[in-house]
Amino acid sequence: MRHLRADADDNRGRILAAARLSFVAEGLAVPVREVARRARVSTATVYRRFPTRQTLLLAAFAEDMTVCSAAVKDGLAARDPWQGLSRAVEKLVTAYGGDPRVQPILVQLSREPEFTAGHERTVRGMLELIRRAKESGALRAEIVLEDIVLAMQAAHGVRAGSPAAQAAATRRLAGLIIQSFHATANAAPLPPAVRLPTRS
């Protein structure tokens, strides 16, 4: 029985890994049979674990969809408001390594009922981090939620010659952004903020 359970868990892991790879590389219309082929299981096995394409899609990106909420939750737990905000911004900016193929999928999934409430909690948490950091005097008064969104959008455009270089460049971008947010004497005023969708 234990051996059968281990095999089932292994199959599930392979199916999810193959589904994520397939959806990212070829789009959400990729046939389930192709996912099954990459996972080295039968199509029937995929459907036994995931009765619909939507359940497979949601499961394949479930971990990605919790990255932002986990980053904000971690930031809120920090005792120092600036450290909490900095920690959250760094994780949000570096979350997906700048892979432009992942973000449109996550934007689409963020509108699903399973993730809507979590998204709204994350936005509220980010606003609270901004409020705390401003009250502490560490965050520039002009910084707003849309600036965090802008930072994440900038990270999606990072391009480098290898995955390691991509990750390093994205981390550096996060550091530059965090430094630009810090309140300093005689800082030049920023251009007006632009309203941006929080799901972008």
Side-chain angles (χ1 to χ4, degrees):
M1 181 68 70
R2 187 175 300 171
H3 178 69
L4 292 175
R5 188 178 300 115
D7 284 348
D9 290 343
D10 184 53
N11 281 347
R12 186 178 192 279
R14 291 208 313 273
I15 291 168
L16 290 179
R20 192 181 189 285
L21 177 65
S22 300
F23 288 137
V24 169
E26 300 176 31
L28 301 186
V30 63
V32 172
R33 64 177 179 275
E34 176 60 20
V35 173
R37 185 189 68 79
R38 291 184 177 183
R40 302 191 305 280
V41 299
S42 68
T43 304
T45 296
V46 175
Y47 278 119
R48 273 198 302 272
R49 303 305 297 265
F50 306 100
T52 66
R53 173 189 295 276
Q54 187 69 3
T55 58
L56 177 60
L57 177 62
L58 293 174
F61 291 93
E63 185 174 344
D64 297 84
M65 294 301 296
T66 63
V67 167
C68 291
S69 60
V72 172
K73 184 177 180 179
D74 184 47
L76 289 169
R79 299 183 67 177
D80 179 84
W82 174 249
Q83 290 300 320
L85 179 67
S86 298
R87 188 183 303 170
V89 170
E90 180 179 22
K91 290 184 177 180
L92 291 171
V93 170
T94 60
Y96 307 113
D99 189 337
R101 301 172 301 175
V102 174
Q103 189 60 20
I105 296 173
L106 301 185
V107 169
Q108 178 173 328
L109 292 182
S110 72
R111 299 186 178 97
E112 295 295 323
E114 291 87 342
F115 297 115
T116 299
H119 173 78
E120 292 172 355
R121 282 194 302 271
T122 299
V123 170
R124 289 195 300 270
M126 196 71 237
L127 289 170
E128 175 63 12
L129 283 172
I130 292 171
R131 184 192 67 78
R132 291 180 187 179
K134 284 185 180 180
E135 284 191 356
S136 75
L139 179 65
R140 294 180 64 153
E142 312 101 304
I143 298 301
V144 293
L145 177 64
E146 284 81 1
D147 294 317
I148 311 297
V149 176
L150 190 61
M152 295 173 68
Q153 290 178 343
H156 302 155
V158 172
R159 300 290 180 269
S162 69
Q166 181 97 359
T170 309
R171 283 196 303 272
R172 182 170 176 83
L173 175 63
L176 292 169
I177 289 168
I178 291 167
Q179 286 189 26
S180 75
F181 284 177
H182 199 277
T184 56
N186 302 317
L190 294 169
V194 178
R195 188 169 182 83
L196 297 170
T198 60
R199 282 188 169 89
S200 61

